[in-house]
Amino acid sequence: MILSGSLPSFHSHHHHYPRRGGHYGHLRRVRTSSQVSLDSPPSELSSPELKKTGVIVVGAGLAGLAAATRLSSENVPFLLLDASDGVGGRVRTDVVDGFVLDRGFQIFITAYPEARRLLDYQALDLRKFYSGARVYYDGRFHTVADPLRHFSDSLQSLANPIGSFIDKLLIALTRVRVLTTSDDEILSSDEVSTLDLLRRIGFSDSIIDRFFRQFFGGIFFDRELETTSRLFDFIFKCLALGDNTLPAKGISAIPEQLAGELPSGSILLNTRVLSIDFGSESAASVRLQSGEVLTSELGVILAVEEPEAVKLLAGKLNREPVQKPVRSTVCLYFTADPSQIPVQDPVLFLNGSGKGIVNNMFFATNVAPTYGPPGKALVSVSLIGLFGDESDDTLTAEVVRELSGWFRESMVRSWSHLRTYRIGYAQPNQSPPTDLMKNPRVRSGLYLCGDYQTSATFDGALVSGRKAVEALLRERATSIV
C-alpha cells in the first residue's frame, strides 16, 4: 500500500525567520527576559522593569514556542511562561534508567510543511520507521508495505487478507488526489468523518477494520475514525511526501531545539498563570500563582490546551467552545534483552484482530538505538482511551497476556515493565464539524494558538503559533498607523 513516497532533501530548506526591526524596534528597551534563565526556578520579579515586556506568551508547548520564534525574528520583546518544569507541553520525553521514554506514542512526519521551515532536521538526527506496518490478524502477521520503498514486500502483500487488490489501487488513487490538492484546500474542504470518507472512496470493511482503524486510529487516538476527513487527507498527504521518524534523543528534542534558538532568559518555567486582565487597548496583565503581576504592552498570546484556555478566559471568549470528549491514550514501556525481541526491523505492529486492548506497538530501540542503554531493548505499547477503571498492574498484565499471543509467550513474559503513561488530553477531538483555520484573535491584545485552533498535529501547533503572532503584528501595525 502507498503510505509514503520518496523523502525530499529537507536539510537544504532549513532556515529561520529573518530578523528585522519593523515598527517594534523601540520596544527593545523593555526586554526584561534576559535576566531570568531557562533552568531557573520561579523568579522573584521584584524589580519593576522585570514586570513589563512587549508580548507575554502563556504556554511553552509547540504553539507557544513557534509564537516566540516568530516574535524573536521580528525583534519584539517577549516572555514565554510555562507552569511545568520544561518546554514542550505534550511533546515531552523522560530518561529513566538510561531509557528514552516519550510521554505517549508520538511519531514525527518529516513532510510537515511548517516544521520544515522551522526545524533543523539534520540536528534532530531523525531515525526512520519502516515504510509500512505489520498487521496481526488471524493468528499471524501480514506486511503492509510502501511499493515505492519496499517493492518486493509490497508485491508479496498483494494477496494478503489486509484488504483486496482494489483496496490497494484505491490507496494509490487517494495518494494522487491529496498530492494534487493544496493544504489550504484540504483544511477547508467539505468534511465528513474519516470512516465515512473511506467508505465513500470504496474501501472494503476488511482494510478499514484491519488497517485504517489501527494505523490512523493510533495517529488520531480514535479507533472509531470519527475524526474529520480534512485531517485524514492532510496526514495522508504528509505520509505520501515524507517519513515517519523519531529524533535520536526523543521527541522532546523538537521543542528543545526551538527553545534553544530563543533569546537567553526569555523562558520562565514553573510559572503558573492564574488570570489575564485587560486595561486600555491592547495592554494586558497576567497574574501569576506567586502573586506577581506581569504587564504586556502589545498583548498576550495564550498557547495552552483548549480546556485550560477556556478556564483562564472564562467570560472573555467571543465564541462558545464546542464540548467534545478529548482523545486519550495509555502508553506502556517494557525493557527486554535484545535476544528476547522477535525482530530487528524498525517496524510498527498493528492489532488487526478486532480483539484485545493493544492498538499498536513497536520496538523503539530498533528505530533509534539511542532510546536504550547498550545491550538493552525498549518496547513501546499503545492503547486508545484512558482505561480509568483499570489499575496500571491490571493493564500491564493484560498487555503481556495479549502480546504473548502475538509473539512467543516465554519471550514476552521475560520483558520487564518500566513505566506507564496515562495521557488524559492527548489531542483535541476534531470530529466534524470543525474549523481548522480559526481566527486567533479573541479581542485587541489577546490571541489564541494551539493545535485545537488548526490541525491536531505537530504542524498544526506550529502554524497556530505563527498565525497568532501575525494577527498581533497586523493589529499593532494598524494601530500605529
Side-chain angles (χ1 to χ4, degrees):
M1 296 184 191
I2 299 173
L3 289 178
S4 52
S6 58
L7 174 67
S9 175
F10 295 128
H11 302 155
S12 62
H13 293 279
H14 168 239
H15 61 275
H16 296 285
Y17 292 120
R19 292 185 176 275
R20 52 190 183 274
H23 294 292
Y24 310 100
H26 70 288
L27 291 172
R28 267 179 265 183
R29 61 185 171 79
V30 299
R31 183 183 289 281
T32 62
S33 54
S34 61
Q35 300 178 47
V36 189
S37 74
L38 175 61
D39 300 319
S40 66
S43 303
E44 292 298 324
L45 302 177
S46 54
S47 167
E49 290 78 21
L50 278 174
K51 295 185 179 181
K52 184 182 289 187
T53 189
V55 177
I56 295 172
V57 183
V58 182
L62 292 182
L65 288 164
T69 298
R70 186 58 189 266
L71 289 168
S72 180
S73 76
E74 299 282 355
N75 286 325
V76 178
F78 68 91
L79 281 173
L80 176 57
L81 316 178
D82 199 276
S84 74
D85 60 355
V87 299
R90 282 168 275 147
V91 186
R92 295 286 300 272
T93 301
D94 298 314
V95 178
V96 179
D97 298 337
F99 291 93
V100 174
L101 308 183
D102 295 332
R103 296 183 185 177
F105 173 61
Q106 304 194 52
I107 287 180
F108 179 69
I109 304 174
T110 56
Y112 284 143
E114 191 79 4
R116 288 175 58 184
R117 288 190 283 271
L118 277 180
L119 298 170
D120 180 347
Y121 282 13
Q122 192 165 11
L124 289 174
D125 193 7
L126 299 171
R127 308 300 178 92
K128 299 177 188 178
F129 280 79
Y130 176 89
S131 297
R134 289 188 190 157
V135 181
Y136 183 72
Y137 172 73
D138 198 22
R140 58 187 292 260
F141 289 102
H142 306 274
T143 297
V144 176
D146 173 4
L148 297 185
R149 305 204 185 170
H150 307 292
F151 184 68
S152 61
D153 289 353
S154 67
L155 282 181
Q156 294 174 30
S157 73
L158 284 177
N160 73 26
I162 313 302
S164 65
F165 177 79
I166 295 297
D167 286 321
K168 287 147 193 179
L169 178 61
L170 289 173
I171 286 198
L173 294 174
T174 301
R175 183 178 188 273
V176 172
R177 177 177 63 82
V178 298
L179 288 176
T180 54
T181 308
S182 74
D183 292 347
D184 283 352
E185 287 176 303
I186 285 174
L187 296 176
S188 59
S189 62
D190 292 341
E191 65 176 339
V192 293
S193 71
T194 292
L195 181 60
D196 285 345
L197 174 67
L198 295 174
R199 287 177 171 160
R200 286 185 187 182
I201 291 170
F203 287 110
S204 68
D205 287 343
S206 66
I207 196 168
I208 291 173
D209 293 339
R210 297 167 196 170
F211 175 72
F212 283 113
R213 287 190 189 278
Q214 294 72 32
F215 188 82
F216 281 91
I219 293 172
F220 302 148
F221 304 110
D222 168 27
R223 282 283 286 270
E224 302 307 310
L225 298 180
E226 296 170 342
T227 299
T228 175
S229 54
R230 294 168 175 170
L231 195 55
F232 171 85
D233 281 349
F234 178 70
I235 294 288
F236 202 99
K237 181 178 180 179
C238 291
L239 289 168
L241 291 170
D243 284 306
N244 289 335
T245 67
L246 290 174
K249 292 183 179 178
I251 204 73
S252 66
I254 294 169
E256 286 166 5
Q257 183 182 103
L258 292 171
E261 296 290 325
L262 297 177
S264 174
S266 58
I267 303 175
L268 285 173
L269 300 175
N270 301 302
T271 304
R272 182 172 294 280
V273 171
L274 293 185
S275 65
I276 301 171
D277 300 297
F278 293 89
S280 60
E281 297 182 358
S282 61
S285 60
V286 170
R287 184 173 298 279
L288 307 180
Q289 191 172 45
S290 64
E292 292 162 308
V293 176
L294 306 179
T295 302
S296 72
E297 291 190 337
L298 294 175
V300 172
I301 294 175
L302 192 54
V304 297
E305 295 168 354
E306 186 174 26
E308 184 65 21
V310 169
K311 277 191 274 185
L312 277 173
L313 298 179
K316 297 186 178 75
L317 277 173
N318 53 9
R319 63 175 185 263
E320 284 298 314
V322 178
Q323 298 299 321
K324 299 178 184 176
V326 299
R327 304 304 189 191
S328 303
T329 185
V330 181
C331 181
L332 299 91
Y333 286 103
F334 299 84
T335 65
D337 187 276
S339 65
Q340 295 298 307
I341 62 173
V343 298
Q344 303 302 315
D345 302 325
V347 66
L348 185 67
F349 291 87
L350 304 175
N351 181 4
S353 70
K355 303 172 184 175
I357 62 173
V358 172
N359 184 73
N360 57 275
M361 62 88 62
F362 70 105
F363 300 95
T365 39
N366 288 358
V367 178
T370 45
Y371 268 55
K376 290 289 184 180
L378 179 64
V379 187
S380 172
V381 182
S382 293
L383 322 178
I384 294 176
L386 205 53
F387 296 86
D389 295 334
E390 305 287 342
S391 69
D392 285 359
D393 288 347
T394 300
L395 284 184
T396 301
E398 178 57 24
V399 165
V400 168
R401 187 198 65 75
E402 198 171 313
L403 294 182
S404 293
W406 292 24
F407 309 114
R408 197 172 69 244
E409 182 173 3
S410 60
M411 173 185 290
V412 175
R413 293 197 178 278
S414 74
W415 300 350
S416 174
H417 176 253
L418 183 59
R419 182 167 285 195
T420 295
Y421 289 96
R422 293 177 185 258
I423 314 295
Y425 188 97
Q427 269 185 24
N429 182 326
Q430 293 196 324
S431 58
T434 65
D435 177 1
L436 305 187
M437 303 176 78
K438 293 186 181 77
N439 183 348
R441 183 184 183 276
V442 177
R443 51 155 290 168
S444 179
L446 177 61
Y447 310 87
L448 299 179
C449 59
D451 58 359
Y452 68 95
Q453 288 283 108
T454 50
S455 66
T457 62
F458 283 23
D459 211 63
L462 296 172
V463 167
S464 74
R466 170 173 58 81
K467 287 188 171 181
V469 173
E470 288 171 351
L472 180 150
L473 295 180
R474 278 195 305 271
E475 189 162 7
R476 291 302 95 218
T478 303
S479 67
I480 288 171
V481 172

